[in-house]
Every structure is written in structure tokens, then in C-alpha cells.
Amino acid sequence: MDEHVVHSVVSAFHDFRNTKADFVLGVEEQVRCLRQEFFSILSLLHNAKLRQLNVREEYAELRDAAYDAEDALQTVAVQIASRKTMNVLERSVGIVSQSMKLYDLRLTIKKIMDRLAVLKGRLQHYTLPKQGEILISLLEKREDQRKINYPKHNVVGLEGDIEKVVNYLVDQQKQQHVVLSIFGMGGVGKTTLAKEIYLDAEVRRHFNCFAWKNISQEYSSKKEIWHDILFSLTDNKKQDIEEITKLTDQQLAEKLYFFLKENKCLVVLDAVWEIRDWQLISEAFPENEMDSKILLTSRNKGVALYASPRAFHHELQCLNEEFSWQLLWNITYMGKSYAGYITEETMEEEAKLMVKHCAGLPLAIIALGRTLATKGSLTDWEMVHKHIKLYLRRGGVNDALALSYYDLPINLRQCFLHLSQFPEDSDINVAKLIRMWVAEGFAERDPTRNNESMEQVAGRMLNELILRGMVSVGQRDDRLKVKTCCMHKVMRDLCFSKAKEENFIDIIDRSHNDHDDFVYIGKVRRLVVNLHGEGCQYTLKSIKMPHLRSLMCFFDVGCKSWILQKPVFENLKLLRVLDLDGAEFPDGKLPKAIGELIHMKFLSLRGAKVWDLPSSLGNLICLQTLDLLIDCEFVHVPNVICKMKNLTHLFLPVNCDDETKLELKILIKLQTLVNFPASKCDVKDLYSLTNLRELSIRRPFLIRDFGEVKERLKATLKHMRYTGWLNRGNLHALSEFKKE
């Protein structure tokens, strides 16, 4: 378990307080004590883990208690919110049950507190580690996880990178920038590239003094870092060392500063992972033009941009297929006769298939090559291929990449783990992903950014993962905004293994060899169903998971169909996210039981085969995203969407039936409105939707009626980013409506 589970309890606590119901005051102090107890036990668990004690069972107990607390708090919060929509008579009846709810909540919290007290008593028997022990533990961990590197004589595919950086370093016309950077995802070879540049003959002739300092590998104060750099630059002369040792921090920073100004030095700062690391030491490095240069490497592009926004930044890419094979060859067959070593021609074919799984990441290729070098037969290699993810983990690949994961803030860890739900090699729709993160509660507003929407917060979080090299950009739109994203194969393996380890998700893979109908029972919070098989049909009968928060289903294009039956929705009372794109429903009817999922914040039926939506949809008052882009000839949409006052993104069907009449003017939080049916709604409803950022209007409508409201729309839709109208399936932009 990680901090993100306790973090979710804190979010539930805030939701509970924000209900502002009278009886909340009766349990608020009890809830506050519960929150403090969670953090207290989490601290004890961290101390035990730093001492390398096995506390997996205790973590699981805390996680289960946190989930139970979250369920109890959010259930009450939603029930209170539902009561606000009742009429006077219904509210009067509701008051009778209010005391029952209060009693049940107090009893639940007391039981959880009792469980935590027992757990805390066990943990307090562990002796707290001294600060020195903590630092040693961290140091040993980082040392172990950074052991894998390019072998000295197997630098492959870096020639162009070396030439580019060296040319910039020694170019006399480009001396205005002091700090240069090399960045890229973990394991891509940044340190190896920096070493090759550091030892390059032309670089050695150009500079007079050299220093190399690894920032993340060891725990150092800024004084220690400056000491080490000065020692290296002065060739460790005894008199200089004695003088430097006596300096204060300020004197040391000034001495290093002027030494760099007066000499021609190259200082390499390897593995500067965080902006705060740079802030710690940067005062000793001149910012103005000088002959000395600072070359830093980082997994985080944000660090490079912060250190010197307009300087030279070199992004190191993964190897192409040719260089990947060459590197694997060098590692696997070094010192062996190829003809004498390989006795079966298919071994080479097997190796070429395996290296593709590494997707050009040198760290993974080296680990694979070292494994294959110890195997001498085709049977052995086939076994490695079958379990290649396991062998890469054993080779230390996941441990090395995991450093990036451990450096993430709590909320970013949740976002990273969430990506494990998407199939391998998939292009992930960013807009949809951001809406899911908001629905999951991962996005939290920064108090210093008052005007920032939750979607903007989630967008910043995704951008941070991209800057850290943990997520890659897929496609961009015409405004260069990220449209799709993806994950490197090896990074995705890390993501999936961590998600399973943290009990963050469970995945069901169904193939044509499985029975058509299936029932799933489990305790995990997020479930993914993957359906495979050409021409197969699947029926999802039931999911008995009362604590489930997210259900996503993916199916191959070749699947004939997959059908959901009514009981699926009867055991998912706490569901927040439901993604049923492409599903089929018996008789084309969405079950009425969908209305019982009152916690739901994200519902997508895009491409589903359903044409009759129940009025019980109106119970989903927490919905933020409703995607009804259903691919049917005509769809009946009941006039209950107006009850969803938290709705932010609404995608209506392409074709609504004649009975559909919608009122949307109450949905003042709407930012996205796609397929606004002008013939089924009053166009003047748009006057009230002042937060709209994207709008598409579906014809037919009377041009004179639309012209009448055009000026009003231009005046009221102040946040509009895109507007258009749809006719016969085509979207036409109305440029006069575009605003920023």
C-alpha cells in the first residue's frame, strides 16, 4: 500500500465536510481523529519499511481500513446531496432516517478505530530507526538500483548525440549559455552519453578543468557537493583541500563561483532529478557568459527547463531497431564465436522478437543480453521469451525505473498507476483520461491558482508525467495540444506491476478459449475487462464487487459483441467511473438499475448498441461526464439530464428520436456540449451556459432563429474555445464564435 490510499480518505473527509449538513457536526471530531490515526500508522509503517522489516500484511490491513472509511464517508456525503434534491414531503421523511445514518456512521468509525488501535499496537513494538540508518538505507537502495549501465565497450547508437553536444560545448559562438542539459526517460543512457562527452578528446582539449558529481546517488548537503566539485577542479592538491575545508558555505559558494568565471571548466552534474536539487546548489554557478560550462543530466525535462529555459537541451531518444539489435548482439555474443555459439538458426529469430519488447530502451536490452549470454540452447531462449517481463525484472530494470516512481508526489502516483488500466501499446485519449482523473478525485486545486479548473489541474499533472519521461506524447492537435499519450513498453510493465502490488487494479483477460458467460467476484477497487478473440461473443452476467470504484471494458475490433446483463449494475453501488464503450444491452435498453449508482461521476456509452435510456439516469446527480455518443439510428434520451447539476461534459447522441425533448439551461457548469440538438431543445438555453468552452450544434434548425441568438452567444460564452454546427455528420467551424 502507498500514501495514495490514505490520500483518498482525506479526499472523502473533505467531501463529507463540504456537505454542510447539520448532523455532520456531530461526528466531525470523530472523523478528524480517524484521519490523524491513519497518518500516524502510515508513519510507523514507513519507519518499519526503512529498517527492511516485512510489513506487507500490516500495509494490507491499513489499506482495507482506509477503503472502509472512504466508503462510509462518501456514502453519507452522497446521501446528503441526494436529499437536497427532494421535495418538502420527501425531506420530512428523510429527517427520520437521518439519526439512523448518524448512528451507523459513528459505529462504523468506532470499529475502524478499534482495528487501527490493534494495528498501531503491533507496529509500536518496532524500534524506530535513527536518522543515520534512514540515510544509509536510502543510499544503499539508490546504489543498487543504479548499477545497470552501458558496458564500456558497447556504446551503440550514440555517435550522433555525442557529436551534437560536443559541437555545442566547444563552439566559441555559443558561449552565452552556461548550463546545458541532457534529459530523457530512465534507462535511456543519459549518464553513458555524458561520460562519453566528458572523456571526448576534443572536449579535453577545449577545457582545462573537469569535475563530475552525481547528485541523486548519494545524500549530500550543498556544501559537500561544492567541496567535491572544487576538489576535482583543483586536482585534489593538498594545500587547496586544506583551504577549502575551512570555508563557510557562503565563502565556498563564492570561491567556486569565481573559479568557474576565471577558468575554462566543464562540470557534469549527473542525475539532477528535482528542481529543488538544482535550487540547492545553483547559487555557486554563474549565469552570465563565461568559458566554463555546466552539463546536467535529468529524467525530468522540467528540471532542464528550470535550470536554463533558453539554453541547449538535448533529449536522448530510445534506440531504433537496428541499433537495438546491434547492442543485444554485443552484449550476448561478446567474446564468443557467433558461428560456434549458435547452433540453431531460429535462435537469432527468437532474439529479434525478444528485443522488440525492450522497445529501444538500452537498460532493458542490456539486461536481456546478459540473461541470454548465460543460456546456450534454443529451449532456454524460448523460456526467456515466454517470461521476458519476469527476466527483465530480475535483471534490475524495474528497480532502476522505479526510482522515477518513488520520486513522484502522492497525487501523481495515483495518476501513473491509473494508466495501467489501458491496454499495452494503446494510444490513450487525453481528454477522456483527464475527465477520468477528475472523476477519480486525483486532481486537487492549488490554492495559489484560484481560477484553475479541475481539468486544467489534471492536465498539469499529465504534463508533469510527460516531463518526467514516464508518459510519452502520441499525437497533437492543430494547436499543438497533446491529443493522445502512450507509455513505453518497459515503463508500462513497471506501471502494471506497481498497480498490482498496491492492489490498485485487477484485470480480467478473456479469450476465445474461455467460456462465453462469466461472473467476477473480488475486493479490488478498479477492474478492467479485456475481451479478445475473432468473431467471439461474450456475456458479462454479474460483477459482485460492492467496493468497486471503476469499471473499464476493452475489446478487440474482431470481437463479434459483448453483452451486459442487468445484474451487473446491482452490486456496484459505490462506482465512480463506468466506461462501457461499444457494449450491447438486451433489447437495446440500458437497465434501470443504472440509476442506483448514485456515486457515479463518469459514464461513457460511446459506440454502445443501446437506444432506450431510462429515466432513472436522473438519479446520477454526481455525474461530471456523460458520453452518449451512441451509434444507433435513433436514441431516446429522457428529459432528466437537467437534474445532473454537476455535469461538466455532455456528449449527446447523433440522432435523438422524436419523443426526445431536453432542457439544458440549468446545467451552468457545462464546459463541453457536443451534438446540441437544436430541434429538440430551446436554443436560448445556451444563454445560461456561460462556462462553455466547446460547443457543436446539430441541425436542422431555423437559420433566422439561430441568427437571433448569435450575438447573445458571442457576448455570453466568454470561455468559448471552439464552436461549430453539425450537418449530415460533418462538423463545420463557425470562426466568428471562436474565443479564448
Side-chain angles (χ1 to χ4, degrees):
M1 193 209 76
D2 214 325
E3 291 94 334
H4 64 79
V5 178
V6 175
H7 183 74
S8 66
V9 178
V10 175
S11 297
F13 173 72
H14 289 313
D15 290 343
F16 180 73
R17 290 186 62 187
N18 290 337
T19 59
K20 298 179 181 178
D22 294 337
F23 82 89
V24 167
L25 299 175
V27 292
E28 188 171 6
E29 183 59 31
Q30 194 179 9
V31 172
R32 187 180 293 109
C33 292
L34 177 66
R35 176 176 176 269
Q36 292 173 349
E37 196 70 358
F38 273 118
F39 281 109
S40 175
I41 294 176
L42 189 62
S43 177
L44 290 172
L45 281 168
H46 283 330
N47 289 332
K49 195 171 182 180
L50 286 171
R51 304 205 70 193
Q52 300 182 344
L53 298 172
N54 185 357
V55 288
R56 184 177 294 274
E57 184 178 334
E58 285 78 5
Y59 266 120
E61 288 184 39
L62 183 62
R63 179 184 61 233
D64 291 344
Y67 282 155
D68 290 343
E70 183 186 10
D71 290 345
L73 291 171
Q74 291 195 333
T75 298
V76 173
V78 173
Q79 287 173 342
I80 295 170
S82 300
R83 185 170 173 267
K84 292 178 180 178
T85 64
M86 297 177 182
N87 57 40
V88 176
L89 178 60
E90 290 172 331
R91 287 190 186 186
S92 299
V93 175
I95 292 173
V96 178
S97 64
Q98 181 170 298
S99 59
M100 295 281 295
K101 293 173 185 174
L102 178 59
Y103 176 79
D104 289 342
L105 180 59
R106 281 176 171 166
L107 186 61
T108 300
I109 293 175
K110 184 180 184 306
K111 289 180 178 179
I112 295 173
M113 290 287 282
D114 290 343
R115 288 159 57 188
L116 294 179
V118 174
L119 177 58
K120 189 174 185 179
R122 292 209 314 270
L123 289 171
Q124 285 175 334
H125 287 295
Y126 296 129
T127 304
L128 293 178
K130 297 178 181 179
Q131 185 68 15
E133 290 177 328
I134 295 176
L135 299 182
I136 291 171
S137 175
L138 292 172
L139 175 57
E140 290 175 346
K141 184 177 182 180
R142 293 206 170 193
E143 287 282 2
D144 289 342
Q145 294 175 337
R146 287 181 55 87
K147 280 181 180 177
I148 294 184
N149 207 335
Y150 267 21
K152 292 182 180 179
H153 303 294
N154 289 286
V155 178
V156 173
L158 294 179
E159 293 80 5
D161 301 282
I162 294 170
E163 181 180 4
K164 186 175 182 179
V165 180
V166 168
N167 286 344
Y168 197 94
L169 278 172
V170 302
D171 191 338
Q172 297 292 342
Q173 303 302 315
K174 299 177 179 178
Q175 297 302 307
Q176 67 272 28
H177 297 304
V178 175
V179 181
L180 295 77
S181 66
I182 300 170
F183 67 91
M185 71 175 290
V188 79
K190 301 178 294 296
T191 299
T192 300
L193 174 59
K195 284 181 179 177
E196 292 298 310
I197 293 166
Y198 187 73
L199 299 174
D200 182 82
E202 189 173 0
V203 170
R204 287 280 153 174
R205 288 192 296 269
H206 183 79
F207 295 100
N208 302 322
C209 305
F210 300 86
W212 179 291
K213 180 63 180 175
N214 188 289
I215 303 302
S216 74
Q217 190 170 353
E218 56 196 69
Y219 184 87
S220 302
S221 66
K222 62 182 180 181
K223 187 172 184 178
E224 290 176 80
I225 294 172
W226 293 336
H227 266 149
D228 291 348
I229 293 173
L230 265 177
F231 289 164
S232 298
L233 293 176
T234 56
D235 290 330
N236 298 321
K237 295 176 183 178
K238 184 176 180 180
Q239 61 272 27
D240 291 330
I241 293 176
E242 291 176 352
E243 179 188 345
I244 291 171
T245 305
K246 298 176 183 178
L247 298 177
T248 64
D249 286 6
Q250 185 61 35
Q251 291 171 332
L252 187 59
E254 291 177 359
K255 184 172 182 65
L256 177 56
Y257 181 96
F258 287 110
F259 190 95
L260 292 171
K261 288 283 285 185
E262 296 166 1
N263 294 276
K264 209 171 188 179
C265 309
L266 174 62
V267 177
V268 177
L269 302 175
D270 188 36
V272 184
W273 286 10
E274 298 291 340
I275 289 176
R276 63 175 177 267
D277 295 336
W278 173 254
Q279 291 173 330
L280 179 72
I281 60 176
S282 60
E283 64 179 282
F285 304 132
E287 297 179 359
N288 302 323
E289 295 183 15
M290 66 174 186
D291 292 332
S292 292
K293 288 287 175 283
I294 312 296
L295 176 63
L296 65 85
T297 72
S298 181
R299 296 186 181 192
N300 190 340
K301 183 179 179 181
V303 173
L305 295 175
Y306 182 87
S308 188
R310 293 178 296 277
F312 175 84
H313 306 297
H314 182 72
E315 182 174 9
L316 188 55
Q317 304 289 344
C318 290
L319 300 175
N320 61 26
E321 191 172 328
E322 178 186 352
F323 286 135
S324 295
W325 173 243
Q326 184 181 338
L327 179 58
L328 183 67
W329 171 292
N330 291 352
I331 300 296
T332 307
Y333 304 118
M334 181 173 289
K336 301 182 178 72
S337 167
Y338 178 78
Y341 184 68
I342 288 193
T343 57
E344 300 181 54
E345 189 175 318
T346 53
M347 289 181 77
E348 181 176 336
E349 298 173 6
E350 195 74 25
K352 286 185 176 179
L353 289 174
M354 282 188 276
V355 79
K356 286 183 179 179
H357 185 83
C358 300
L361 188 68
L363 178 74
I365 296 170
I366 292 167
L368 175 61
R370 289 173 176 172
T371 299
L372 295 180
T374 65
K375 313 291 182 183
S377 69
L378 176 61
T379 303
D380 290 339
W381 283 27
E382 287 176 338
M383 182 60 68
V384 173
H385 190 184
K386 184 178 180 180
H387 303 287
I388 188 167
K389 294 182 182 180
L390 175 62
Y391 278 98
L392 289 179
R393 283 198 291 270
R394 286 178 178 174
V397 175
N398 272 24
D399 287 342
L401 293 182
L403 292 174
S404 296
Y405 173 74
Y406 294 132
D407 271 356
L408 291 175
I410 297 171
N411 56 345
L412 282 183
R413 289 193 191 185
Q414 296 182 99
C415 295
F416 178 72
L417 295 177
H418 183 270
L419 293 168
S420 64
Q421 298 179 100
F422 295 90
E424 188 173 347
D425 298 325
S426 62
D427 277 335
I428 302 169
N429 183 295
V430 166
K432 182 176 181 178
L433 177 67
I434 285 174
R435 290 166 194 150
M436 284 184 168
W437 285 359
V438 172
E440 288 270 15
F442 297 159
E444 290 187 354
R445 281 195 177 92
D446 184 340
T448 63
R449 300 170 183 251
N450 296 327
N451 297 324
E452 196 173 39
S453 69
M454 298 305 289
E455 284 77 11
Q456 289 172 325
V457 175
R460 278 198 296 106
M461 294 164 73
L462 176 62
N463 189 54
E464 180 67 20
L465 289 174
I466 292 172
L467 289 175
R468 290 171 178 263
M470 302 179 78
V471 176
S472 303
V473 175
Q475 302 175 8
R476 294 182 183 271
D477 62 17
D478 55 1
R479 291 176 293 149
L480 300 181
K481 187 177 179 180
V482 180
K483 186 177 180 181
T484 65
C485 65
C486 54
M487 297 187 80
H488 188 279
K489 281 180 178 288
V490 182
M491 186 63 77
R492 199 262 175 187
D493 291 343
L494 168 71
C495 180
F496 182 74
S497 65
K498 286 296 178 187
K500 293 290 286 184
E501 179 184 317
E502 300 288 350
N503 202 30
F504 191 85
I505 65 162
D506 200 0
I507 293 183
I508 304 174
D509 278 298
R510 307 292 294 182
S511 68
H512 60 278
N513 297 321
D514 298 316
H515 194 272
D516 289 342
D517 303 341
F518 59 98
V519 176
Y520 185 79
I521 302 174
K523 292 183 66 177
V524 77
R525 289 301 174 108
R526 295 170 184 84
L527 178 66
V528 178
V529 180
N530 290 326
L531 305 175
H532 314 277
E534 188 71 29
C536 291
Q537 176 175 303
Y538 299 94
T539 301
L540 183 56
K541 283 186 173 180
S542 180
I543 298 177
K544 297 180 180 179
M545 302 177 67
H547 301 290
L548 195 68
R549 296 307 177 91
S550 171
L551 173 61
M552 298 175 65
C553 298
F554 299 94
F555 65 100
D556 290 344
V557 177
C559 284
K560 183 179 178 181
S561 65
W562 69 281
I563 302 171
L564 274 81
Q565 295 186 350
K566 177 182 175 181
V568 170
F569 302 108
E570 294 178 350
N571 298 292
L572 305 175
K573 306 296 186 183
L574 296 174
L575 204 66
R576 289 179 188 163
V577 174
L578 182 58
D579 186 358
L580 298 178
D581 290 0
E584 292 186 26
F585 297 88
D587 302 322
K589 294 183 177 181
L590 184 65
K592 294 180 180 178
I594 191 79
E596 298 177 18
L597 311 183
I598 59 174
H599 291 265
M600 189 105 71
K601 294 186 176 182
F602 179 99
L603 173 60
S604 180
L605 297 171
R606 183 170 293 205
K609 292 180 175 59
V610 57
W611 48 85
D612 191 358
L613 305 178
S615 59
S616 62
L617 273 176
N619 297 336
L620 308 182
I621 60 172
C622 294
L623 266 185
Q624 298 168 348
T625 297
L626 177 60
D627 192 336
L628 300 177
L629 277 176
I630 299 167
D631 191 17
C632 293
E633 186 174 357
F634 290 103
V635 180
H636 174 65
V637 183
N639 188 23
V640 294
I641 295 178
C642 55
K643 297 181 180 181
M644 306 172 185
K645 296 182 180 180
N646 291 302
L647 207 58
T648 310
H649 306 282
L650 175 60
F651 303 83
L652 290 168
V654 174
N655 297 303
C656 297
D657 67 6
D658 292 337
E659 296 180 10
T660 298
K661 298 294 180 183
L662 301 176
E663 298 176 37
L664 303 179
K665 61 183 178 182
I666 300 176
L667 307 179
I668 59 175
K669 292 185 179 181
L670 271 185
Q671 296 180 21
T672 304
L673 177 53
V674 173
N675 284 339
F676 176 79
S679 62
K680 313 291 182 184
C681 300
D682 187 345
V683 177
K684 295 179 181 179
D685 281 0
L686 297 175
Y687 293 170
S688 304
L689 310 183
T690 56
N691 288 305
L692 275 179
R693 295 177 179 271
E694 181 178 343
L695 168 67
S696 67
I697 302 174
R698 189 153 196 88
R699 283 190 171 185
F701 57 81
L702 295 176
I703 296 296
R704 67 171 182 271
D705 290 345
F706 189 72
E708 185 180 321
V709 300
K710 186 168 63 173
E711 294 303 319
R712 287 288 300 272
L713 289 175
K714 290 170 69 174
T716 58
L717 304 185
K718 299 182 183 302
H719 302 287
M720 185 62 65
R721 208 169 43 222
Y722 185 84
T723 308
W725 53 267
L726 287 159
N727 186 30
R728 297 179 182 177
N730 297 317
L731 178 66
H732 303 271
L734 300 177
S735 58
E736 66 266 28
F737 281 88
K738 289 186 180 180
K739 293 186 179 183
E740 291 299 331

